[in-house]
Amino acid sequence: MEEKDFMKKLTKEQYHVLREKSTEMPGTGKFLYNKKKGMYVCGACGVPLFSSSHKFDSGSGWPSFYDIAKKGNVKLKKDLNHGMIRTEVLCSKCGSHLGHLFHDAPQTPTGNRYCINSAALDFKKDGKKK
């Protein structure tokens, strides 16, 4: 998909987060409190990213997951922006920015917290896009 196609498909907020590596305001994302069972997919290309069974309340203000749905669907990249050392989480298929990975969740089986923007996600329940 070319950049012009992303611009046509995505809302301004989705484009800003997914393609321009922005972050939505904490506590504002539509999936922060979603308790439904299903799969969170890339908002740009639809690749499966995170299962609802791996979602947990981290108190961070963004949807958080302790593991990915399928190995290879997520790419990790060192992020040195904003004077911090972080690990950026990207969609492996389309390269869109999803959020960041932190190793600060001892309450989870992996110790990981994938801190993901709601604007970067779509949710599929029972095989249907919501």
Side-chain angles (χ1 to χ4, degrees), residues 27-41:
T28 63
K30 65 182 176 180
F31 296 124
L32 180 59
Y33 299 110
N34 184 27
K35 303 285 185 193
K36 296 176 183 170
K37 303 245 185 253
M39 184 65 61
Y40 293 88
V41 302

Side-chain angles (χ1 to χ4, degrees), residues 14-59:
Q14 287 175 311
Y15 187 83
H16 193 51
V17 169
L18 286 158
R19 305 306 298 168
E20 297 177 327
K21 300 179 186 269
S22 185
T23 301
E24 65 198 9
M25 294 295 295
T28 63
K30 65 182 176 180
F31 296 124
L32 180 59
Y33 299 110
N34 184 27
K35 303 285 185 193
K36 296 176 183 170
K37 303 245 185 253
M39 184 65 61
Y40 293 88
V41 302
C42 178
C45 73
V47 114
L49 300 169
F50 302 97
S51 168
S52 62
S53 63
H54 295 149
K55 190 172 187 267
F56 71 102
D57 183 3
S58 68

